Amino acid sequence: MSEKQVEAASTTHLKLEGTWGLSGIPIFMTLTRGYKDPNDPRNAVSPSGSPGKYKVTFILSRPGYAPLKENHISFADDLKGDSHIFIGDPNELRIEIESKLPDGDITLFGYPNEKGFLGKIEIEQLDAQHFGDANLKAYNALSTALSRLSLAADVPLYIYRLTTIELSTQNLISNLTLPFIQKPVPVFTGYQADKDLAKFASLYREALNSNSPNYQYLCYYKIIEGIKRIRSDRTARENQEAVARGEKPPAREKEFLPKDRSEQVAWLNSLFTRQNWSDLALSQVFPTEAAGRTLGNLIDSNKELDMVRNKIAHAILRDETLETYNIDEALHINEVAKWLPLCKCIARYLLQQEYPQMFSA
């Protein structure tokens, strides 16, 4: 964006148009300033940032109550945020939180909204190599403090938006969760009661309703595991029947994740509403190391999707002595975010293959 567009973004709430990525999945958006002087060295700085000082702002919200309308975004200071933690008069008070990290202490300042509730937390200045480094340091500094506050007060503390500004250029990066597209009521034919389908549909809805990427991932992967079991049982039964007839077991075609851009677009159109998928959306769904591989390989034991699932499950449901994710650790959050879109798409693909009558409209 140009400098004027960035300034406009600071006073108005922009409305998203077009296809940015998968609905309900978080993305990061970068805004860079274009300075009039073509020789201004700030024009040559990478959009990913450079070594220097950064300011990071977190906007909180009460679960179920978004500060902005759907489809709208804001990078401005006019977002006040909200929570269940009462501080006091916004004209007189702020709180300070000291976070001790391995590479140095960071001070966070918490500000109340007009009703006196904690709504915004800022790190006024921190040293980082680039935007990604700044976000990791800031999130690691804040998340542990929020979790302890949540535990002590027995209230949720949800981060609605993170905005990071590179102080030398005033370029910024901010996260947002992509809104869902409005659609006509779906019509499916040949519906029959099926216990497995009922379970899978409830898991899919649970994932869509959740704002926790970890829980979303577990729901989608549970669908993948369930359909994988159904397929395995059916293959074993068909092989046994073929052998009993004196025949060779039937050959089964392998399913590959598309690698070519046009094939990736066609695959996504077959799963969701036909759209003009952006390069951002494609990079979000298809990690470089996944494109072109078989679905079986991606979901095999100890492969990427299975490993992410196991680390989440061990942290929440299983043996915490095994390798797990720290849910407050930014690097671990990024790994879940990396594989979540593809996990969702594979779950939906398998559902379409197994229950085509649900997607016949």
Side-chain angles (χ1 to χ4, degrees):
M1 280 191 172
S2 68
E3 186 173 1
K4 288 185 177 180
Q5 287 173 310
V6 173
E7 290 173 352
S10 67
T11 57
T12 61
H13 297 160
L14 303 178
K15 186 173 182 179
L16 289 175
E17 301 288 352
T19 303
W20 295 76
L22 289 185
S23 300
I25 301 292
I27 65 168
F28 276 91
M29 181 180 294
T30 302
L31 278 74
T32 59
R33 288 182 178 268
Y35 293 92
K36 293 181 179 179
D37 181 358
N39 297 318
D40 192 317
R42 292 173 294 182
N43 289 328
V45 173
S46 169
S48 62
S50 59
K53 305 289 185 181
Y54 290 80
K55 176 183 177 180
V56 184
T57 302
F58 297 90
I59 300 297
L60 307 181
S61 73
R62 299 191 181 198
Y65 296 89
L68 286 175
K69 293 181 179 180
E70 194 174 39
N71 293 330
H72 288 73
I73 58 175
S74 175
F75 308 100
D77 290 335
D78 61 338
L79 285 185
K80 302 300 182 183
D82 199 5
S83 73
H84 295 84
I85 299 291
F86 184 76
I87 298 178
D89 189 339
N91 297 314
E92 298 180 359
L93 297 172
R94 72 176 184 182
I95 62 171
E96 292 188 19
I97 303 170
E98 291 292 333
S99 179
K100 298 184 180 297
L101 297 178
D103 54 354
D105 297 347
I106 293 179
T107 302
L108 304 101
F109 297 98
Y111 298 91
N113 59 20
E114 66 279 1
K115 295 181 180 179
F117 290 91
L118 179 64
K120 179 171 69 175
I121 297 176
E122 286 187 345
I123 300 174
E124 294 181 347
Q125 186 171 284
L126 62 80
D127 293 307
Q129 295 300 306
H130 44 70
F131 276 115
D133 184 39
N135 288 346
L136 286 176
K137 289 180 177 179
Y139 192 91
N140 288 339
L142 175 64
S143 58
T144 299
L146 286 187
S147 293
R148 291 176 181 174
L149 279 173
S150 182
L151 171 62
D154 186 35
V155 296
L157 285 166
Y158 174 65
I159 299 174
Y160 173 76
R161 178 127 323 145
L162 178 157
T163 299
T164 303
I165 300 175
E166 184 179 26
L167 296 180
S168 63
T169 63
Q170 291 300 300
N171 295 341
L172 65 84
I173 187 170
S174 186
N175 73 314
L176 64 149
T177 298
L178 295 168
F180 289 93
I181 299 172
Q182 299 182 80
K183 299 177 182 177
V185 61
V187 178
F188 43 86
T189 60
Y191 177 79
Q192 295 180 352
D194 184 292
K195 290 183 179 179
D196 285 324
L197 174 56
K199 178 177 67 176
F200 297 149
S202 67
L203 286 169
Y204 197 90
R205 184 168 69 93
E206 277 287 290
L208 294 182
N209 287 344
S210 174
N211 60 20
S212 165
N214 291 298
Y215 186 59
Q216 289 178 333
Y217 195 99
L218 290 179
C219 288
Y220 291 132
Y221 201 85
K222 191 68 176 176
I223 294 171
I224 292 172
E225 285 184 315
I227 296 180
K228 182 180 177 181
R229 171 187 54 80
I230 290 173
R231 286 183 163 195
S232 178
D233 291 346
R234 183 167 58 239
T235 296
R237 183 175 63 253
E238 291 174 350
N239 288 349
Q240 290 175 357
E241 292 172 351
V243 171
R245 294 192 301 268
E247 302 172 355
K248 290 183 178 181
R252 293 174 177 83
E253 186 176 349
K254 291 184 177 181
E255 298 165 299
F256 289 88
L257 196 66
K259 188 175 182 178
D260 178 77
R261 189 186 194 282
S262 61
E263 293 176 347
Q264 291 176 347
V265 168
W267 193 67
L268 288 176
N269 281 337
S270 72
L271 298 180
F272 305 100
T273 303
R274 181 174 292 276
Q275 300 173 59
N276 182 22
W277 297 96
S278 66
D279 289 338
L280 172 64
L282 296 181
S283 64
Q284 180 191 33
V285 175
F286 302 101
T288 303
E289 60 267 50
R293 287 165 56 184
T294 66
L295 298 190
N297 177 264
L298 284 165
I299 61 179
D300 277 347
S301 297
N302 297 321
K303 296 298 183 181
E304 291 90 341
L305 293 181
D306 184 68
M307 289 175 65
V308 171
R309 180 262 190 196
N310 287 337
K311 289 178 182 178
I312 298 172
H314 290 156
I316 300 174
L317 304 173
R318 295 181 179 174
D319 186 352
E320 67 278 4
T321 63
L322 299 176
E323 184 179 7
T324 66
Y325 283 145
N326 179 346
I327 296 171
D328 281 338
E329 173 64 49
L331 281 173
H332 296 165
I333 292 170
N334 285 349
E335 191 170 0
V336 175
K338 174 181 178 179
W339 293 102
L340 175 59
L342 179 58
C343 187
K344 173 181 179 176
C345 288
I346 291 178
R348 188 169 181 86
Y349 169 81
L350 293 176
L351 284 168
Q352 284 191 357
Q353 298 301 302
E354 196 66 28
Y355 304 100
Q357 72 275 13
M358 292 295 300
F359 305 90
S360 58

